[in-house]
Amino acid sequence: MNKHAFRVLEYDKVRDIVACYAASEPGRAEVLALLPAAELSVVSERLGETREFLHILGSGDHPPLDGIRDIRREVGKLAVPGRMLQPAELLNIAVTLGAARRLKTFFQRFEGTGKAGMSAPLLCGRTARIAPLKQSEDAVHAAVDETGEVKDSASPALRRVRKLIVRTRDEIMDRMSRILRDSGAQNIVQDQVITVRDDRYVMPLKPNFRQNIKGVVHGHSGSRATVFVEPLEVVEQNNRLAELRMEEREEVERVLRELTGLLARDAAAIGTTLDAAAGIDAIAARARFGTEYQGAVPELS
């Protein structure tokens, strides 16, 4: 079938409508890539998959299709040696693996004679390609929270260094607060606040601050009426805080590289799992479209 025939039949418009019924971006992409087939076996299989899904929906069951994320880029990165995935990317993979695992579990009820005598061999054949990678899934969830941040509990070293960061930061804030409250500093304090410049805690002071406080200047306001000063009393603690933050970054990177390596070993299986889940979602879209438009699955002769 050529492009002119597609245009005359408005095939793309129909395909776009069907794609709207997919629950995930990979499922939508699968629908949008669908082209008519001329081989009887292919057409029969596609119609058979849609028929099976319609029967399941008709029985009141609804396959769990939530949580399938578009991780095609992440899977591509896993195939490149030395690449390190970011926390949000690792989380996307773990969430998708969990969604695919639940999908596989759901369709296992329709293997053989199936639930209440109803079977779905074609759909079960697709979900059979979903790899059980719960250990990798759990490893990511143990280290990355729902917002895509690395948890303190990701490693004992990370928990330790973050506790030290909090303690050191509190000590700095406490000492600088005492300086701001000191009666001798009232005439040079621009605002009773502590802010951050160049990753170091500083105080906003008037330009004549040197009369009362010795410190390191980290810039000034646009009007030059305020100078941001790091008191010498907290320089050492700010240095220590910088060192701790560097330790934190190094430990976070170590955790991310370890998790990336764990997933990279199963990169091919993760890609296959995504394809299988997206394929099921695309079939679901066809079935839902058929239900919405009161369609019928034809018998082929």
Side-chain angles (χ1 to χ4, degrees), residues 24-59:
S24 68
E25 187 55 41
R28 280 189 284 275
E30 189 90 5
V31 173
L32 294 174
L34 191 63
L35 293 172
E39 298 84 0
L40 181 62
S41 60
V42 176
V43 175
S44 296
E45 182 177 57
R46 289 179 181 175
L47 291 176
E49 290 170 338
T50 306
R51 185 183 293 108
E52 287 180 1
F53 212 105
L54 285 168
H55 286 166
I56 291 173
L57 293 177
S59 71

Side-chain angles (χ1 to χ4, degrees), residues 103-284:
L103 202 56
K104 184 183 183 78
T105 300
F106 174 87
F107 279 102
Q108 284 174 342
R109 295 184 295 165
F110 300 95
E111 292 176 346
T113 55
K115 178 184 176 182
M118 183 169 57
S119 63
L122 295 175
L123 296 177
C124 289
R126 280 187 176 262
T127 57
R129 299 167 56 211
I130 293 175
L133 297 172
K134 187 149 190 323
Q135 185 176 355
S136 298
E137 179 190 334
D138 290 345
V140 173
H141 283 303
V144 181
D145 65 22
E146 294 179 355
T147 66
E149 295 294 328
V150 178
K151 298 179 182 179
D152 294 353
S153 57
S155 76
L158 187 59
R159 185 193 298 276
R160 178 192 62 80
V161 74
R162 283 183 172 172
K163 282 184 177 179
L164 289 173
I165 286 173
V166 171
R167 185 185 308 163
T168 305
R169 185 170 59 229
D170 288 346
E171 290 172 356
I172 293 171
M173 297 292 283
D174 183 61
R175 182 167 295 188
M176 293 180 74
S177 295
R178 288 203 303 272
I179 294 173
L180 287 174
R181 291 194 301 267
D182 187 273
S183 58
Q186 295 303 310
N187 63 327
I188 61 165
V189 173
Q190 195 69 274
D191 291 299
Q192 289 283 342
V193 295
I194 298 170
T195 186
V196 177
R197 282 292 178 99
D198 303 324
D199 290 329
R200 301 177 78 86
Y201 286 97
V202 297
M203 299 185 303
L205 304 178
K206 296 176 183 178
N208 63 337
F209 74 93
R210 289 182 178 85
Q211 299 172 6
N212 301 75
I213 297 176
K214 295 186 182 297
V216 180
V217 175
H218 286 275
H220 51 72
S221 63
S223 64
R224 294 185 177 273
T226 302
V227 181
F228 298 99
V229 179
E230 176 188 5
L232 290 181
E233 291 182 43
V234 298
V235 167
E236 190 59 37
Q237 286 173 302
N238 264 329
N239 289 342
R240 176 57 179 154
L241 188 60
E243 292 171 0
L244 290 170
R245 284 174 172 159
M246 189 180 302
E247 285 183 40
E248 179 192 20
R249 287 193 294 271
E250 289 173 352
E251 181 60 17
V252 165
E253 182 175 323
R254 188 196 66 76
V255 169
L256 295 180
R257 288 196 179 282
E258 186 176 286
L259 290 172
T260 301
L262 178 66
L263 294 175
R265 291 197 290 270
D266 294 311
I270 293 171
T272 301
T273 293
L274 175 63
D275 291 343
I280 292 290
D281 189 18
I283 296 166

